[in-house]
Amino acid sequence: MNFDMISAASDRLKGHVRRTPLLSSPALDEIAGKRILIKAECLQHTGSFKFRGGWSAVSALDPETRSRGVIAFSSGNHAQGIAAAAQAFGVPAVIVMPADAPSLKIEGTKRLGGEVVLYDRAARECRETIGTRLAEERGLTLIKPYDEPQVIAGQGTCGLEIAEQAAKLGVTSADVLVCCGGGGLTSGIALALEQLAPDMLVHPAEPEGYDDVARSLRSGQKERNATEAGGLCDAILTPTPGDITFPIMSRLCGAGVVASEDEALRAMGLAFQHLKVVAEPGGAVALACALFHADDLKHDTVIATISGGNVDPAIFARALKTL
Amino acid sequence: MNFDMISAASDRLKGHVRRTPLLSSPALDEIAGKRILIKAECLQHTGSFKFRGGWSAVSALDPETRSRGVIAFSSGNHAQGIAAAAQAFGVPAVIVMPADAPSLKIEGTKRLGGEVVLYDRAARECRETIGTRLAEERGLTLIKPYDEPQVIAGQGTCGLEIAEQAAKLGVTSADVLVCCGGGGLTSGIALALEQLAPDMLVHPAEPEGYDDVARSLRSGQKERNATEAGGLCDAILTPTPGDITFPIMSRLCGAGVVASEDEALRAMGLAFQHLKVVAEPGGAVALACALFHADDLKHDTVIATISGGNVDPAIFARALKTL
């Protein structure tokens, strides 16, 4: 797992991925008391950064393997990323999703031609087991959501864009807050910035109660969340950091940052009001940390990802009520 | 008023304007039965395309005139565009706004340093009269919202980007639907595309009951709306086409297209769901026409502007309920 794989992924993604804007607003700077730049990956195809890793992984397969199809397990955003990439290559995609995923994400996956298989997250069924069994039965290639080098390489292309776009604004040093579940986006961006913007420091951003990565970085070993089910930030509720992503984050990242669900909802409201973009709760956690917990950060500029915008209208209505 | 003025405005705007993305979604193509590309000007600084015209006009003033300050009359988006540009140049901006403008827009204008003067739109006070009087009293330069060549030139830079971004996707012929009030954005885009994409045909898009431009294009003379007050699409409720914009639209535009307020709310909901951007009612009218009235259009591809996203949360909640 290295920078060259990110460069190669960037070449494969060219003409397919959307170069998402780096947004800003004086009102947000005022709230944070710092300059805030927002990488709006909610504007990516399929509504989240996961399209990058999905396309990267599917495009990296040899054509014969790819033609048999792919399988993914995902709360929804990786699902859509993989389904969209598979559809573009004309190959089947089976997606194993938790039954309590937002209906928007389940429908979105089906619309992209994905065959959806549901499992019960609260019952602690291991989605890895389900995914592996289906892959063997049907000759599909399993594409893991974060612990897969080509997926990390794809997510890292977001870091290439951050480095370029920030440099254009004269920003070469910053704290970079990344919404973090298993760590695919976080470690990909960290690898890209290590090479292109070594004065930027990446911090994983997590919701309160699901801060396995922050705790793991503190203790130096992989820690687990007490529960997987029930959180508002469904996109980033993974039990523990990945085997590939954790060593990368340990080597390259600063301390993890944490925001409450209420703060994530307020960040969604402020993104609506001042940026005109739609953030989902899990996708708003980094912005929430930037807005409400920037005092602890070292640099004058904070770059935050809005990693996705696939949110059901009823949840978004709650965010509007915070304004 | 010509293409060279748009090029010159583009040079002045470089490094200040945001290059907004041209978005798309398979779900929207399906609804329309055509390929739909969306120019997301809601992502522009201040939340609407008006920043382009504001910056263009303020930057075109000679420094001594500019230093005395500027004045604008606006339902809110032009207000914020002018206030932001004036603030960047460090000069005063007085903004004459209708008292019933969305509070978000009034607050946004004040936050950008604008001095807000309110008037009563329902009482048919002529905002032009108010603006002209204040300008004379205080030595301010009046920057009209659409009937001003440097404003039209600024809005035209949106057309430069549309031509470039569409060409990258292989699209050189299309119907281009532009949210239309007084016609500044519509005529600016039409002038840009006449030069750069002559196979594209611009259509002004208006809300039902406020279709003065569509009727004027049909009759060949400037028609007026029956009322100015009360519509949901506050951003584009101008009484009649501009003296400068109407001849340009007459020469270059196809027939006007019209959507209902309900359709605009549905388009806002679909932009939330599939594009992850926030559209205001007046900014969603062109997308509504593209989604629900594309049958009448000639080309296989429709490009629609989302011209702004400055909408109060309560109105946006109504749009979410259409999903």
Side-chain angles (χ1 to χ4, degrees):
Chain A
M1 193 60 249
N2 55 38
F3 181 80
D4 292 344
M5 288 177 68
I6 299 175
S7 288
S10 176
D11 289 342
R12 294 199 302 281
L13 281 158
K14 204 158 279 175
H16 304 289
V17 77
R18 204 173 268 154
R19 187 183 173 84
T20 57
L22 193 64
L23 302 174
S24 62
S25 155
L28 298 184
D29 294 352
E30 215 172 280
I31 292 168
K34 292 195 177 192
R35 183 177 190 182
I36 308 282
L37 302 172
I38 298 98
K39 180 64 171 168
E41 276 293 294
C42 50
L43 301 175
Q44 190 51 263
H45 294 294
T46 74
S48 93
F49 74 94
K50 292 283 191 176
F51 179 79
R52 296 179 186 268
W55 188 281
S56 171
V58 172
S59 65
L61 294 173
D62 75 86
E64 202 190 305
T65 306
R66 185 166 56 221
S67 69
R68 289 196 296 273
V70 294
I71 180 168
F73 36 95
S74 161
S75 68
N77 283 335
H78 178 56
Q80 293 185 71
I82 293 290
Q87 189 178 50
F89 281 95
V91 305
V94 176
I95 313 290
V96 185
M97 298 180 83
D100 63 344
S103 61
L104 197 77
K105 293 183 181 178
I106 296 177
E107 281 161 28
T109 305
K110 288 181 181 168
R111 187 181 299 115
L112 293 165
E115 179 192 337
V116 173
V117 176
L118 298 176
Y119 77 98
D120 182 356
R121 175 151 49 181
R124 292 177 160 262
E125 286 187 83
C126 176
R127 63 182 188 178
E128 281 78 0
T129 311
I130 297 171
T132 309
R133 177 170 47 79
L134 279 167
E136 281 170 11
E137 282 173 10
R138 297 168 61 167
L140 308 165
T141 300
L142 177 64
I143 299 180
K144 295 183 181 176
Y146 49 87
D147 241 356
E148 155 59 47
Q150 292 297 1
V151 168
I152 298 170
Q155 320 307 30
T157 62
C158 181
L160 302 183
E161 294 179 14
I162 288 173
E164 283 173 29
Q165 292 169 316
K168 263 198 187 167
L169 299 172
V171 173
T172 54
S173 70
D175 290 290
V176 181
L177 309 191
V178 183
C179 302
C180 186
L185 182 61
T186 309
S187 55
I189 289 177
L191 283 168
L193 296 183
E194 179 191 22
Q195 193 82 11
L196 298 180
D199 290 341
M200 293 192 186
L201 183 62
V202 172
H203 304 262
E206 294 170 294
E208 265 177 30
Y210 302 90
D211 59 344
D212 54 299
V213 176
R215 288 186 292 112
S216 301
L217 289 175
R218 274 202 300 274
S219 73
Q221 60 187 26
K222 286 172 60 179
E223 307 288 346
R224 292 188 75 84
N225 289 324
T227 174
E228 276 184 66
L232 192 64
C233 301
D234 62 283
I236 57 176
L237 301 188
T238 40
T240 192
D243 291 329
I244 302 177
T245 59
F246 182 56
I248 299 170
M249 292 192 285
S250 294
R251 184 169 69 81
L252 297 175
C253 289
V257 289
V258 172
S260 69
E261 290 187 347
D262 277 352
E263 289 171 331
L265 285 171
R266 282 167 61 203
M268 290 167 66
L270 292 166
F272 159 85
Q273 189 168 30
H274 298 295
L275 302 174
K276 315 305 172 190
V277 298
V278 175
E280 62 183 281
V285 164
L287 178 59
C289 292
L291 290 172
F292 310 124
H293 301 281
D295 289 350
D296 309 336
L297 302 172
K298 182 179 144 194
H299 294 97
D300 295 334
T301 300
V302 180
I303 301 173
T305 61
I306 291 183
S307 56
N310 292 313
V311 53
D312 279 334
I315 306 278
F316 200 76
R318 284 176 57 190
L320 293 177
K321 292 220 172 89
T322 67
L323 293 171
Chain B
M1 192 60 251
N2 55 38
F3 181 80
D4 291 344
M5 288 177 69
I6 299 175
S7 288
S10 177
D11 289 341
R12 293 198 305 281
L13 281 159
K14 203 158 281 173
H16 304 290
V17 78
R18 205 172 267 154
R19 187 183 174 86
T20 57
L22 193 65
L23 302 174
S24 62
S25 157
L28 298 184
D29 295 353
E30 214 173 279
I31 292 167
K34 290 194 177 192
R35 183 178 190 181
I36 308 282
L37 302 172
I38 299 98
K39 181 65 169 165
E41 277 292 293
C42 50
L43 301 174
Q44 190 51 261
H45 293 294
T46 73
S48 92
F49 73 95
K50 292 282 189 176
F51 179 80
R52 297 178 185 269
W55 187 281
S56 171
V58 172
S59 65
L61 294 174
D62 75 85
E64 202 191 304
T65 306
R66 185 165 58 220
S67 69
R68 290 196 296 272
V70 295
I71 180 168
F73 34 93
S74 161
S75 67
N77 283 335
H78 178 56
Q80 294 186 71
I82 293 290
Q87 190 178 49
F89 281 94
V91 304
V94 176
I95 313 290
V96 185
M97 298 180 83
D100 63 344
S103 61
L104 197 77
K105 293 182 181 179
I106 296 177
E107 282 161 29
T109 305
K110 288 180 181 168
R111 189 180 298 115
L112 293 165
E115 179 192 338
V116 173
V117 175
L118 298 175
Y119 76 98
D120 182 356
R121 176 151 49 183
R124 291 177 162 263
E125 285 186 82
C126 177
R127 63 181 187 180
E128 280 78 0
T129 311
I130 298 172
T132 308
R133 178 170 47 78
L134 280 168
E136 282 170 10
E137 282 173 9
R138 298 168 60 166
L140 309 166
T141 300
L142 176 65
I143 300 181
K144 295 183 182 178
Y146 47 87
D147 243 356
E148 156 56 47
Q150 291 298 1
V151 168
I152 298 171
Q155 321 306 29
T157 63
C158 182
L160 301 184
E161 294 179 15
I162 288 173
E164 283 173 30
Q165 292 170 317
K168 262 198 189 167
L169 299 173
V171 174
T172 54
S173 70
D175 290 292
V176 181
L177 309 190
V178 183
C179 302
C180 187
L185 182 61
T186 309
S187 56
I189 289 177
L191 283 168
L193 296 183
E194 178 191 24
Q195 193 82 11
L196 298 180
D199 290 341
M200 293 190 187
L201 183 61
V202 172
H203 304 261
E206 294 171 294
E208 265 177 30
Y210 302 89
D211 60 342
D212 53 298
V213 175
R215 288 186 292 110
S216 300
L217 288 175
R218 274 201 301 273
S219 73
Q221 61 186 26
K222 285 172 59 178
E223 307 287 347
R224 290 188 76 84
N225 290 325
T227 175
E228 274 183 68
L232 191 65
C233 301
D234 62 282
I236 56 175
L237 301 190
T238 40
T240 190
D243 290 330
I244 302 177
T245 59
F246 182 56
I248 298 169
M249 292 192 284
S250 294
R251 183 169 68 81
L252 296 176
C253 288
V257 289
V258 173
S260 69
E261 291 188 347
D262 278 351
E263 288 170 333
L265 284 171
R266 284 167 60 203
M268 289 166 67
L270 292 166
F272 159 85
Q273 187 167 33
H274 299 296
L275 301 174
K276 314 306 172 192
V277 298
V278 175
E280 62 184 278
V285 164
L287 178 59
C289 292
L291 290 171
F292 309 125
H293 301 281
D295 289 351
D296 308 337
L297 302 171
K298 181 179 145 194
H299 294 98
D300 295 333
T301 300
V302 179
I303 300 173
T305 62
I306 292 184
S307 56
N310 292 313
V311 53
D312 279 333
I315 305 278
F316 200 76
R318 283 175 59 189
L320 292 177
K321 291 221 173 87
T322 66
L323 293 171

